[in-house]
Amino acid sequence: MSAGSKEPAETKVPLLFDPLDVLGCERDESVVAARAAHGRKILLWLVVANVVSSILHYVIDFANYPEPLWLNPHIIDMFWFAMTPIGITGCVLFTRGRRTAAFACLYSFAIMNLLTLGHYLIAPPWDLPFRINFFILLEAFTALMLLVHLALLHCCMDLVPAKSL
């Protein structure tokens, strides 16, 4: 091209929707920082909700859960004492900006909380009292909420500076 001619302007194809808006992500750094702080608070509350729901599930009516004879209740107790620190560690790592390790811990924690649905492999929901079903489903629901929030945070991570989290 000659020195006086202009290069053709780049044309943008308009999107029907911006995927970042759907995920609640912004490119404006001040908005990103505010949303990151809000996302961190939600994450902390969801981990607390998972810990509380798992405590309720383990404590309320534990003796009446249908379990096979080969399953030792002490193994179940040890599992809770192993999985809960993983979730707490994930929160600590997340607040310190160690995202990869934090996500590994938090995804593992949420999936371990979903294992509560394994009760239905032993006894169908209609054979269990309402209270037992309620606490199984409460723990599974809080775990699903945590997984969804983690996935949304993960999708927006490239837009959020580590110091904002």
mmCIF file of all heavy atoms in Angstrom, residues 78-99:
data_model
loop_
_atom_site.group_PDB
_atom_site.id
_atom_site.type_symbol
_atom_site.label_atom_id
_atom_site.label_comp_id
_atom_site.label_asym_id
_atom_site.label_seq_id
_atom_site.Cartn_x
_atom_site.Cartn_y
_atom_site.Cartn_z
ATOM 1 N N MET A 78 -13.951 -41.230 59.611
ATOM 2 C CA MET A 78 -12.601 -40.843 59.189
ATOM 3 C C MET A 78 -12.642 -40.124 57.838
ATOM 4 O O MET A 78 -11.877 -39.187 57.616
ATOM 5 C CB MET A 78 -11.690 -42.070 59.117
ATOM 6 C CG MET A 78 -11.290 -42.595 60.475
ATOM 7 S SD MET A 78 -10.039 -43.891 60.426
ATOM 8 C CE MET A 78 -10.796 -45.130 59.406
ATOM 9 N N PHE A 79 -13.544 -40.556 56.959
ATOM 10 C CA PHE A 79 -13.669 -39.905 55.659
ATOM 11 C C PHE A 79 -14.074 -38.442 55.839
ATOM 12 O O PHE A 79 -13.540 -37.550 55.171
ATOM 13 C CB PHE A 79 -14.680 -40.650 54.786
ATOM 14 C CG PHE A 79 -14.824 -40.076 53.411
ATOM 15 C CD1 PHE A 79 -13.801 -40.216 52.487
ATOM 16 C CD2 PHE A 79 -15.957 -39.385 53.045
ATOM 17 C CE1 PHE A 79 -13.919 -39.674 51.216
ATOM 18 C CE2 PHE A 79 -16.081 -38.844 51.784
ATOM 19 C CZ PHE A 79 -15.055 -38.994 50.869
ATOM 20 N N TRP A 80 -15.006 -38.174 56.766
ATOM 21 C CA TRP A 80 -15.430 -36.797 56.996
ATOM 22 C C TRP A 80 -14.258 -35.969 57.510
ATOM 23 O O TRP A 80 -14.038 -34.841 57.073
ATOM 24 C CB TRP A 80 -16.592 -36.740 57.997
ATOM 25 C CG TRP A 80 -17.134 -35.353 58.124
ATOM 26 C CD1 TRP A 80 -18.090 -34.775 57.350
ATOM 27 C CD2 TRP A 80 -16.712 -34.344 59.050
ATOM 28 N NE1 TRP A 80 -18.299 -33.464 57.738
ATOM 29 C CE2 TRP A 80 -17.457 -33.192 58.793
ATOM 30 C CE3 TRP A 80 -15.788 -34.313 60.071
ATOM 31 C CZ2 TRP A 80 -17.315 -32.024 59.514
ATOM 32 C CZ3 TRP A 80 -15.634 -33.139 60.799
ATOM 33 C CH2 TRP A 80 -16.393 -32.006 60.514
ATOM 34 N N PHE A 81 -13.484 -36.537 58.425
ATOM 35 C CA PHE A 81 -12.344 -35.807 58.980
ATOM 36 C C PHE A 81 -11.218 -35.635 57.965
ATOM 37 O O PHE A 81 -10.336 -34.805 58.153
ATOM 38 C CB PHE A 81 -11.823 -36.486 60.250
ATOM 39 C CG PHE A 81 -12.707 -36.234 61.443
ATOM 40 C CD1 PHE A 81 -13.520 -37.235 61.940
ATOM 41 C CD2 PHE A 81 -12.731 -34.994 62.051
ATOM 42 C CE1 PHE A 81 -14.343 -37.002 63.027
ATOM 43 C CE2 PHE A 81 -13.546 -34.750 63.140
ATOM 44 C CZ PHE A 81 -14.351 -35.757 63.630
ATOM 45 N N ALA A 82 -11.241 -36.394 56.900
ATOM 46 C CA ALA A 82 -10.260 -36.219 55.821
ATOM 47 C C ALA A 82 -10.752 -35.211 54.792
ATOM 48 O O ALA A 82 -9.979 -34.387 54.297
ATOM 49 C CB ALA A 82 -9.973 -37.560 55.152
ATOM 50 N N MET A 83 -12.057 -35.262 54.449
ATOM 51 C CA MET A 83 -12.536 -34.411 53.360
ATOM 52 C C MET A 83 -12.751 -32.962 53.791
ATOM 53 O O MET A 83 -12.534 -32.047 52.997
ATOM 54 C CB MET A 83 -13.813 -34.976 52.743
ATOM 55 C CG MET A 83 -15.071 -34.757 53.503
ATOM 56 S SD MET A 83 -16.473 -35.389 52.566
ATOM 57 C CE MET A 83 -17.801 -34.598 53.434
ATOM 58 N N THR A 84 -13.142 -32.731 55.018
ATOM 59 C CA THR A 84 -13.429 -31.366 55.457
ATOM 60 C C THR A 84 -12.186 -30.475 55.427
ATOM 61 O O THR A 84 -12.255 -29.350 54.914
ATOM 62 C CB THR A 84 -14.096 -31.385 56.842
ATOM 63 O OG1 THR A 84 -15.289 -32.162 56.746
ATOM 64 C CG2 THR A 84 -14.445 -29.990 57.309
ATOM 65 N N PRO A 85 -11.035 -30.938 55.919
ATOM 66 C CA PRO A 85 -9.842 -30.082 55.801
ATOM 67 C C PRO A 85 -9.447 -29.793 54.350
ATOM 68 O O PRO A 85 -8.837 -28.756 54.080
ATOM 69 C CB PRO A 85 -8.750 -30.891 56.509
ATOM 70 C CG PRO A 85 -9.480 -31.782 57.446
ATOM 71 C CD PRO A 85 -10.772 -32.106 56.760
ATOM 72 N N ILE A 86 -9.796 -30.664 53.431
ATOM 73 C CA ILE A 86 -9.494 -30.404 52.017
ATOM 74 C C ILE A 86 -10.262 -29.173 51.537
ATOM 75 O O ILE A 86 -9.719 -28.323 50.834
ATOM 76 C CB ILE A 86 -9.793 -31.646 51.153
ATOM 77 C CG1 ILE A 86 -8.796 -32.757 51.490
ATOM 78 C CG2 ILE A 86 -9.760 -31.311 49.661
ATOM 79 C CD1 ILE A 86 -9.108 -34.094 50.853
ATOM 80 N N GLY A 87 -11.535 -29.072 51.923
ATOM 81 C CA GLY A 87 -12.325 -27.897 51.556
ATOM 82 C C GLY A 87 -11.803 -26.628 52.195
ATOM 83 O O GLY A 87 -11.707 -25.581 51.547
ATOM 84 N N ILE A 88 -11.445 -26.712 53.463
ATOM 85 C CA ILE A 88 -10.917 -25.541 54.165
ATOM 86 C C ILE A 88 -9.571 -25.128 53.563
ATOM 87 O O ILE A 88 -9.310 -23.945 53.345
ATOM 88 C CB ILE A 88 -10.813 -25.834 55.672
ATOM 89 C CG1 ILE A 88 -12.223 -26.030 56.248
ATOM 90 C CG2 ILE A 88 -10.081 -24.723 56.407
ATOM 91 C CD1 ILE A 88 -12.273 -26.619 57.634
ATOM 92 N N THR A 89 -8.738 -26.105 53.266
ATOM 93 C CA THR A 89 -7.450 -25.817 52.626
ATOM 94 C C THR A 89 -7.667 -25.142 51.272
ATOM 95 O O THR A 89 -6.948 -24.196 50.919
ATOM 96 C CB THR A 89 -6.638 -27.117 52.449
ATOM 97 O OG1 THR A 89 -6.425 -27.696 53.731
ATOM 98 C CG2 THR A 89 -5.313 -26.858 51.767
ATOM 99 N N GLY A 90 -8.658 -25.607 50.526
ATOM 100 C CA GLY A 90 -8.963 -24.985 49.241
ATOM 101 C C GLY A 90 -9.319 -23.520 49.382
ATOM 102 O O GLY A 90 -8.889 -22.681 48.577
ATOM 103 N N CYS A 91 -10.100 -23.187 50.411
ATOM 104 C CA CYS A 91 -10.453 -21.775 50.646
ATOM 105 C C CYS A 91 -9.226 -20.950 50.983
ATOM 106 O O CYS A 91 -9.058 -19.841 50.471
ATOM 107 C CB CYS A 91 -11.463 -21.672 51.790
ATOM 108 S SG CYS A 91 -13.120 -22.065 51.310
ATOM 109 N N VAL A 92 -8.374 -21.481 51.844
ATOM 110 C CA VAL A 92 -7.157 -20.759 52.223
ATOM 111 C C VAL A 92 -6.274 -20.539 50.995
ATOM 112 O O VAL A 92 -5.776 -19.431 50.763
ATOM 113 C CB VAL A 92 -6.399 -21.518 53.335
ATOM 114 C CG1 VAL A 92 -5.034 -20.905 53.581
ATOM 115 C CG2 VAL A 92 -7.220 -21.539 54.615
ATOM 116 N N LEU A 93 -6.099 -21.579 50.202
ATOM 117 C CA LEU A 93 -5.278 -21.448 48.996
ATOM 118 C C LEU A 93 -5.881 -20.437 48.027
ATOM 119 O O LEU A 93 -5.167 -19.656 47.391
ATOM 120 C CB LEU A 93 -5.123 -22.810 48.310
ATOM 121 C CG LEU A 93 -4.270 -23.835 49.057
ATOM 122 C CD1 LEU A 93 -4.402 -25.208 48.397
ATOM 123 C CD2 LEU A 93 -2.822 -23.393 49.113
ATOM 124 N N PHE A 94 -7.196 -20.440 47.899
ATOM 125 C CA PHE A 94 -7.868 -19.518 46.984
ATOM 126 C C PHE A 94 -7.646 -18.078 47.423
ATOM 127 O O PHE A 94 -7.359 -17.198 46.598
ATOM 128 C CB PHE A 94 -9.361 -19.840 46.906
ATOM 129 C CG PHE A 94 -10.049 -19.181 45.760
ATOM 130 C CD1 PHE A 94 -10.035 -19.762 44.509
ATOM 131 C CD2 PHE A 94 -10.697 -17.978 45.923
ATOM 132 C CE1 PHE A 94 -10.660 -19.154 43.434
ATOM 133 C CE2 PHE A 94 -11.334 -17.362 44.859
ATOM 134 C CZ PHE A 94 -11.311 -17.948 43.614
ATOM 135 N N THR A 95 -7.782 -17.814 48.726
ATOM 136 C CA THR A 95 -7.601 -16.444 49.211
ATOM 137 C C THR A 95 -6.150 -15.988 49.090
ATOM 138 O O THR A 95 -5.887 -14.802 49.034
ATOM 139 C CB THR A 95 -8.069 -16.292 50.670
ATOM 140 O OG1 THR A 95 -7.349 -17.201 51.494
ATOM 141 C CG2 THR A 95 -9.553 -16.535 50.795
ATOM 142 N N ARG A 96 -5.216 -16.936 49.030
ATOM 143 C CA ARG A 96 -3.794 -16.589 48.864
ATOM 144 C C ARG A 96 -3.380 -16.526 47.402
ATOM 145 O O ARG A 96 -2.213 -16.332 47.094
ATOM 146 C CB ARG A 96 -2.935 -17.594 49.612
ATOM 147 C CG ARG A 96 -3.097 -17.478 51.103
ATOM 148 C CD ARG A 96 -2.192 -18.397 51.843
ATOM 149 N NE ARG A 96 -2.389 -18.228 53.271
ATOM 150 C CZ ARG A 96 -1.847 -19.005 54.178
ATOM 151 N NH1 ARG A 96 -1.068 -20.002 53.809
ATOM 152 N NH2 ARG A 96 -2.077 -18.795 55.455
ATOM 153 N N GLY A 97 -4.333 -16.732 46.486
ATOM 154 C CA GLY A 97 -4.042 -16.616 45.064
ATOM 155 C C GLY A 97 -3.450 -17.859 44.431
ATOM 156 O O GLY A 97 -3.036 -17.823 43.284
ATOM 157 N N ARG A 98 -3.425 -18.971 45.134
ATOM 158 C CA ARG A 98 -2.886 -20.220 44.583
ATOM 159 C C ARG A 98 -4.037 -20.985 43.937
ATOM 160 O O ARG A 98 -4.545 -21.953 44.482
ATOM 161 C CB ARG A 98 -2.208 -21.016 45.687
ATOM 162 C CG ARG A 98 -1.047 -20.214 46.262
ATOM 163 C CD ARG A 98 -0.026 -20.973 47.005
ATOM 164 N NE ARG A 98 0.384 -22.170 46.317
ATOM 165 C CZ ARG A 98 0.730 -23.281 46.957
ATOM 166 N NH1 ARG A 98 0.727 -23.325 48.264
ATOM 167 N NH2 ARG A 98 1.099 -24.347 46.286
ATOM 168 N N ARG A 99 -4.432 -20.495 42.778
ATOM 169 C CA ARG A 99 -5.664 -20.943 42.134
ATOM 170 C C ARG A 99 -5.667 -22.419 41.750
ATOM 171 O O ARG A 99 -6.658 -23.107 41.979
ATOM 172 C CB ARG A 99 -5.930 -20.098 40.904
ATOM 173 C CG ARG A 99 -6.173 -18.667 41.229
ATOM 174 C CD ARG A 99 -6.367 -17.904 39.959
ATOM 175 N NE ARG A 99 -6.520 -16.497 40.249
ATOM 176 C CZ ARG A 99 -6.400 -15.566 39.343
ATOM 177 N NH1 ARG A 99 -6.127 -15.881 38.096
ATOM 178 N NH2 ARG A 99 -6.564 -14.313 39.657
#
